Amino acid sequence: MFLAGFVAAQQPSAASGRGGRPAVPPIDTAVADRGQLVYAARCASCHGADTRGTALGVDLVRASGVRLDPTGAQLGPFVASGHKNSSVPPIALTDAQVSDIAMYLRVRIDFATSGRGNVAPNIAVGNAKDGETYFNGAGKCNTCHSVKGDLKGVGSKYSATMLQNRIVLPRGRGPAAKGDPPEPARTVDIKLADGSMVSGTLVTVSDFLVTYRDSSGLLHTVTRNGDLPRVAIHDTLEAHIDSMRRMTTKQMQDLTAYLVTK
Ligand code: HEC
Ligand code: HEC
């Protein structure tokens, strides 16, 4: 069904006389790495750090619509138009970002279908020493964490994959392992039209609606119209979300290699 919607939605652009399908370039891991960063920032919260889906978004490796679109020619219009599903907001990306993501998805599909995806990835491929340097230096991880304090034992608490997800995918990180603390909630303060302030735990937010749970557990939905009412979202994981956008694949792998030993 998604495939039908996805492909059908793209017919106009396919028919718009660009002279057939664009050539499919060979796999380029540098391009895929760039795509991974954009993907992590814009798609992973729903489709999962590893592209295999979460409760909020489908597995993109298994999606035939993705496989049939190796250059992302259809992907760009699809995400720009809000996925054809009104609950997924439109995502503005440049053409280069779209083709980078498409390359990243090809690498993920290749990984999964070659059988390499069936074995646990050797994710701790980084350099632990470089990870330590980054942790205490440019990464500024030590401003909030300590490997002797809150992160003590983190290497045995999680699999390497999970651990890496905790670093680069703090939100939408998928099913919690046993004994895993719940994802820290985002909170929201809303200034209503009459000037009164309400606040609570954020449940969902879109350009049109914001839903929160108040301290007594009741759900409320407020309609948004442009900047009104004023909505301020607070996220204790903001630093992670920011750093994940800056981090290179090597830094991410180095951090994982460092923290698995803790
Ligand atoms: C808010 C959650 C959310 C975000 C963010 C999101 N998606 Fe989705 N995506 C979904 C859901 C839910 C579906 C399935 C329903 C649909 O197609 O609308 C989906 C479907 C898709 C499909 C169709 C898969 C198929 O079955 O053919 C593609 C491709 C896709 N997403 C790519 C992306 C990309 C690329 C990004 C980032 C630029 C992204 N999505 C961001 C939730 C999301
Ligand atoms: C501004 C503060 C801040 C910074 C900077 C920060 N983190 Fe975090 N980190 C958090 C918060 C908040 C959590 C969530 C704790 C929870 O789940 O309750 C967290 C969780 C984690 C976890 C999961 C811990 C667990 O036991 O589940 C890991 C691993 C982690 N951070 C690593 C890092 C690394 C590596 C960096 C540097 C790139 C970093 N953090 C930078 C605030 C920060």
Side-chain angles (χ1 to χ4, degrees), residues 73-94:
Q74 302 174 348
L75 185 62
F78 178 75
V79 295
S81 68
H83 270 51
K84 302 291 158 213
N85 167 346
S86 57
S87 72
V88 181
I91 303 170
L93 298 172
T94 64

Side-chain angles (χ1 to χ4, degrees), residues 193-216:
D194 66 4
S196 61
M197 293 290 295
V198 293
S199 39
T201 305
L202 183 67
V203 178
T204 57
V205 62
S206 71
D207 287 346
F208 310 108
L209 298 173
V210 52
T211 302
Y212 68 96
R213 194 181 292 283
D214 70 18
S215 53
S216 65

Side-chain angles (χ1 to χ4, degrees), residues 134-135 139-145 150-151 154 157-158 163 166-167 170 173 180-184 236-240 243 247 255 259:
Y134 184 74
F135 187 93
K140 300 201 179 104
C141 314
N142 63 344
T143 57
C144 295
H145 297 295
D150 68 321
L151 292 185
V154 78
K157 182 169 159 195
Y158 297 122
L163 177 58
R166 288 295 181 273
I167 302 169
R173 56 203 192 184
D180 195 13
E183 190 174 305
T236 50
L237 290 172
E238 187 122 8
H240 272 247
S243 71
M247 213 181 274
L255 280 172
L259 290 178

Side-chain angles (χ1 to χ4, degrees), residues 13-262:
S13 71
S16 65
R18 275 192 296 131
R21 287 166 188 273
V24 178
I27 294 271
D28 180 334
T29 53
V31 175
D33 278 0
R34 259 188 349 243
Q36 180 174 9
L37 287 179
V38 184
Y39 174 88
R42 311 299 292 278
C43 321
S45 59
C46 295
H47 291 290
D50 57 358
T51 68
R52 302 311 306 265
T54 71
L56 299 177
V58 295
D59 179 348
L60 294 179
V61 165
R62 271 186 311 190
S64 27
V66 174
R67 290 189 193 198
L68 294 172
D69 182 29
T71 60
Q74 302 174 348
L75 185 62
F78 178 75
V79 295
S81 68
H83 270 51
K84 302 291 158 213
N85 167 346
S86 57
S87 72
V88 181
I91 303 170
L93 298 172
T94 64
D95 289 351
Q97 287 174 320
V98 170
S99 52
D100 291 354
I101 292 178
M103 181 64 80
Y104 171 59
L105 292 175
R106 278 175 66 196
V107 168
R108 297 301 314 178
I109 291 169
D110 179 54
F111 177 74
T113 52
S114 65
R116 278 177 285 145
N118 297 332
V119 291
N122 180 12
I123 207 161
V125 291
N127 178 314
K129 195 82 202 127
D130 290 350
E132 179 173 13
T133 307
Y134 184 74
F135 187 93
N136 294 311
K140 300 201 179 104
C141 314
N142 63 344
T143 57
C144 295
H145 297 295
S146 153
V147 293
K148 299 220 165 64
D150 68 321
L151 292 185
K152 191 165 183 229
V154 78
S156 43
K157 182 169 159 195
Y158 297 122
S159 68
T161 312
M162 272 288 196
L163 177 58
Q164 183 158 297
N165 285 355
R166 288 295 181 273
I167 302 169
V168 294
L169 188 70
R171 288 259 164 244
R173 56 203 192 184
K178 212 169 155 211
D180 195 13
E183 190 174 305
R186 288 183 292 178
T187 59
V188 63
D189 295 326
I190 305 167
K191 188 170 185 187
L192 298 176
D194 66 4
S196 61
M197 293 290 295
V198 293
S199 39
T201 305
L202 183 67
V203 178
T204 57
V205 62
S206 71
D207 287 346
F208 310 108
L209 298 173
V210 52
T211 302
Y212 68 96
R213 194 181 292 283
D214 70 18
S215 53
S216 65
L218 285 179
L219 285 178
H220 303 269
T221 294
V222 177
T223 312
R224 304 179 74 183
N225 183 1
D227 291 340
L228 294 172
R230 273 228 306 282
V231 174
I233 295 169
H234 310 287
D235 190 346
T236 50
L237 290 172
E238 187 122 8
H240 272 247
I241 293 162
D242 286 351
S243 71
M244 151 191 118
R245 292 185 179 135
R246 287 193 308 268
M247 213 181 274
T248 64
T249 304
K250 167 159 171 50
Q251 286 163 341
M252 175 181 83
Q253 289 171 341
D254 292 349
L255 280 172
T256 307
Y258 171 56
L259 290 178
V260 288
T261 65
K262 297 295 148 196

